[in-house]
Amino acid sequence: MNDARYRALTAGAAVVSAALAIVIGVQLSGYGVPVSLLLACCLSCVATFSSLLFRVIGAWSTTTHRCTRPGCDFRVSLTRTDSADNRRWREIAAHHPHRTH
Ligand SMILES: [Zn+2]
């Protein structure tokens, strides 16, 4: 995933979180909830939704290359890379040096 796409996704996640919080806030205001409590509730909703979405985006934009040799747990995790980078790191993971005993 490239930088522009990552930025667009995180901006989208922030907007979605804010929109969800506003919807909840509007619904709560119908019950005569005081403004200070309404604000606290909306802010915690924004924090919860955005951290959840950022986590999903982070997991999405991370690629892990593992060594294929049995018993070897060497791995490389990459965030926000393009396909050329991905290919290079896949080869590095496949050909990394092994310790010999
Ligand atoms: Zn290995």
Side-chain angles (χ1 to χ4, degrees), residues 22-100:
I22 287 168
V23 167
I24 289 170
V26 167
Q27 284 178 338
L28 274 178
S29 69
Y31 294 96
V33 177
V35 174
S36 58
L37 280 179
L38 211 58
L39 198 66
C41 178
C42 286
L43 287 177
S44 66
C45 283
V46 170
T48 307
F49 294 141
S50 59
S51 67
L52 185 73
L53 288 171
F54 289 159
R55 206 173 277 256
V56 169
I57 292 168
W60 232 353
S61 57
T62 302
T63 314
T64 303
H65 298 297
R66 289 181 180 81
C67 174
T68 50
R69 185 185 281 206
C72 178
D73 60 0
F74 180 87
R75 67 175 71 186
V76 184
S77 282
L78 307 165
T79 317
R80 295 153 58 186
T81 50
D82 55 27
S83 57
D85 256 357
N86 248 333
R87 210 170 27 249
R88 192 163 60 238
W89 279 99
R90 188 169 53 231
E91 275 159 28
I92 290 170
H95 301 295
H96 78 98
H98 287 95
R99 270 185 305 181
T100 45

